[in-house]
Amino acid sequence: MDRENTAVDNSPIHAITQTTTRFQFAHWQFFNDKDELHDIQAQSVTKLEPQVARLLTLLITQQGQVITKETLNKLLWPDTIVEANSLYQLLTKLRKELQDNAKNPKYIKTVPKKGYLFLPSVSPIETQEQAPLATPQNLITTSQIPSSKVKLYKFLQVLMAKKRNWALTLCAGACFSTIAFLSSAPDKIEPTQYEREDITYELGVEFNVAAHMQRDLLAYIEQFNTLKITTKAGQNQYSQTFDTRIAHPTWHPDKTKLAFWQYQNDMCILHISDEQARSLHSSSPIPCHLIRPPVWQSDNELILTISDKTGSSAYLYRIEQQQLVKIPLPQKPEESYIGAIRAWEEQVYYVIVDADHHSRLVSLDGNIHMTWPYPLWLFNFDPAKQSIVSNDGSAHHNLVAKLRNGQTYPVFATSQGMFTNLSIDKNGDIFTAAETWQVNIRDQDNLPIFSSSSHDFLPVTNPLGETVFMSRRTGQCEIYLHANNQVKQLSFHKGYKYVNFLAWDPLFSKILSNRDSELVLYNREDVIVSFDSQHTSAPLQFGWLDAQNIWSSDTEFVHTFNLDGDLLRKTKFASDFLIFDTKQQLWIVLQGNKLFQSQSLANFNAQKQLVSELPSDAVHMIKNPRLINDTLYWQSTWSKTDIIWKLPLTAPHQVTKIKQEPLIWHYDIAPDGALRVAKMESVEADIKRIKPQPKKT
């Protein structure tokens, strides 16, 4: 039973908090699942900032009761010290959206020395996506609804505070897990009830969990560089700490051998240890950018998934011979290999994602064993049910499962954060790392102008102080503009269209972005035009030649366009790092570790001039170049640690690290030259067990 399960009483508002994500009050409708505020009278829709939407959710679910400033601060910024006026700023923004007056309030009343009171009555909005409140299949049992004596704000503390955000997950998961969704196959799937329990719950970061298929052994990574071996109940057995980051432990299905990776400089080392964390084998360093969990194929062989600048590839690794052989996968050039999985009949299968972001599970003979209509990135095999458990297609990455005959069934739903890896033992017990975080883009006063649990931000600020950025918070990559203390959404795209870059034009009137292989131009209100970049894959480098012409590169060809999307020039030019100086009208190119300047790419070798030689850690996984006020900035990764670099072109030998730490998503340079970092903050990751429950007789 979940020891963090906490009670709410059975009043209508409390019932709403468990199932409803859409509310109505006065002439407003609030869609919590979309952060949208609908004005019925004006027939308008406003996209709220995530923290403003979260504040409104808290006020609505506590309607008619005073909620203190301390409680709001704790729920909005769990375990985080914030500026004293942060809550006031959010309230000001929310009141402005509601057209409310603090002195004569209709909606939010300030109760002096106590807190805030949400005044209007609130009713839930029934939608087709929501299940009825009390049908036999989704009714929560009395054992899952705790005592009615606990006030709602205590429930909200459990729901939204760090380390206690699983109460709603348990309720949602219990409901979610009682419904069996059927495919076209005629046989009905037996509903399965799952319960979640904590394996680790201390402050810190624990992730990359691996459960032994047969034995009472669990392995996971703690604080990035410590291998922990415990029982499946979380009792510590052995540990080993490394000087650089380690990742992705995987137990042999029968024996007590554990394979895991270590990032070391620009290489990856595969280690094999026993159940006491004693080393049995270490591979030679393998060039890599990223890696995925290894898969045991036999006692002496593993399938390795290794990514470099060209993408991910599968390799067969023979331990005794230290032999690495690339595996020829049945995939097209525009398709992506994601990872391998050991499944039916102890065979290894491979996950491929096509250009339309559909996934398929294949064997080396090219046979397709399973398909999904969305990108798969999280997956493992459940031997008890003979199914593949994976992420679903939503923004929240709930867990679903699929049988070989095509039937699907839900496993568990998340209320906050996301599951980041899966391991399943012979009993069907799912061990997962559940991570929560907040990514902030901070302004000149170090206050967040936008916060989210999104994956990427790509903030770019112009000299006027306006910041354009991308967020995946909705599940799609959307473009936002922060200007005049307001955040405006500029794009509303559906599907899995990825954004790799953003750039202001030299006049600061337009914004250039991509949508997969398309190039997109925005003004401060909306999309102006989008067109095909005519690259064979999504462009990875980009920029402006002047206010009327743009360029893009897929690292093999450079294309130039006018603002109508007409292709003006196509130049074959391979590069991993390319930027155009619109002020000097010069290309800046990295070849190896040498940085050059040239007026032309077509005649580059004849015109190039050496600018600087860069250290090795400055050029590994290099990305996100910025040229601001004759100073070049970029990011790199070394031993899986993120580094931000600075190089004045007027003093090209002064290469300096200006920031170095894990979990930096992106960075930005303020108009005054100050560094802003979009990074994961308040990071927390814990190991959970999601256990199928016995059927009731």
Side-chain angles (χ1 to χ4, degrees), residues 329-341 344 349-363 366-377 379 388 402:
L329 295 177
Q331 69 180 99
K332 299 176 182 177
E334 67 273 14
E335 296 180 331
S336 300
Y337 163 62
I338 304 301
I341 181 173
W344 307 281
Y349 302 83
Y350 304 86
V351 175
I352 307 292
V353 176
D354 65 22
D356 295 321
H357 309 291
H358 297 162
S359 304
R360 68 181 186 271
L361 188 71
V362 301
S363 47
N367 286 333
I368 299 174
H369 299 266
M370 200 170 283
T371 62
W372 295 262
Y374 51 82
L376 217 62
W377 59 272
F379 47 88
I388 302 293
K402 193 167 190 175

Side-chain angles (χ1 to χ4, degrees), residues 213 346 380-387 424-428:
M213 183 71 70
E346 308 301 323
N380 215 321
F381 179 65
D382 182 350
K385 291 187 176 296
Q386 294 288 296
S387 63
I424 310 174
D425 66 14
K426 67 177 182 178
N427 300 317

Side-chain angles (χ1 to χ4, degrees), residues 208 210 247-253 257-262 269-272 291-297 301-306 315 317 319 337 339-342 348 380 422:
N208 282 181
H248 302 305
T250 304
W251 289 105
H252 188 286
K257 294 196 295 185
L258 182 72
F260 61 95
W261 287 102
Q262 180 184 10
I269 299 173
L270 179 72
H271 295 288
I272 310 291
I291 38 78
R292 285 188 64 93
V295 175
W296 289 89
Q297 180 165 272
E301 296 176 333
L302 295 105
I303 304 299
L304 308 183
T305 299
I306 303 171
Y315 295 86
Y317 180 74
I319 298 173
Y337 163 62
I341 181 173
R342 182 182 172 116
V348 176
N380 215 321
L422 296 173

Side-chain angles (χ1 to χ4, degrees), residues 136 142 196 198 280 374 402 494 575 581 625 653 657 675:
T142 55
R196 191 272 319 165
D198 290 323
L280 301 176
Y374 51 82
K402 193 167 190 175
K494 299 297 181 183
S575 64
D581 185 345
H653 298 293
K657 298 179 184 179
L675 174 68

Side-chain angles (χ1 to χ4, degrees), residues 414-525:
T414 60
S415 63
Q416 189 176 0
M418 63 193 305
F419 302 118
T420 54
N421 79 301
L422 296 173
S423 184
I424 310 174
D425 66 14
K426 67 177 182 178
N427 300 317
D429 288 1
I430 301 171
F431 294 82
T432 178
E435 297 185 18
T436 60
W437 63 80
Q438 181 170 300
V439 182
N440 290 322
I441 301 174
R442 295 185 176 273
D443 64 14
Q444 63 271 19
D445 300 317
N446 202 35
L447 296 174
I449 63 174
F450 192 84
S451 300
S452 172
S453 57
S454 169
H455 285 276
D456 292 295
F457 270 99
L458 297 169
V460 182
T461 301
N462 66 25
L464 302 176
E466 301 170 309
T467 301
V468 62
F469 59 92
M470 180 274 290
S471 172
R472 294 184 189 173
R473 185 177 184 274
T474 62
Q476 284 78 39
C477 301
E478 306 295 0
I479 307 302
Y480 296 82
L481 173 67
H482 177 262
N484 301 318
N485 296 317
Q486 294 182 336
V487 173
K488 180 188 299 183
Q489 187 171 347
L490 301 183
S491 66
F492 300 89
H493 288 265
K494 299 297 181 183
Y496 304 94
K497 295 186 175 180
Y498 297 125
V499 174
N500 294 322
F501 55 76
L502 288 165
W504 288 93
D505 75 340
L507 301 179
F508 317 118
S509 62
K510 298 180 183 66
I511 303 151
L512 173 64
S513 176
N514 80 304
R515 286 270 167 192
D516 283 348
S517 294
E518 287 190 336
L519 296 176
V520 187
L521 286 175
Y522 304 84
N523 57 22
R524 287 176 172 82
E525 295 295 329

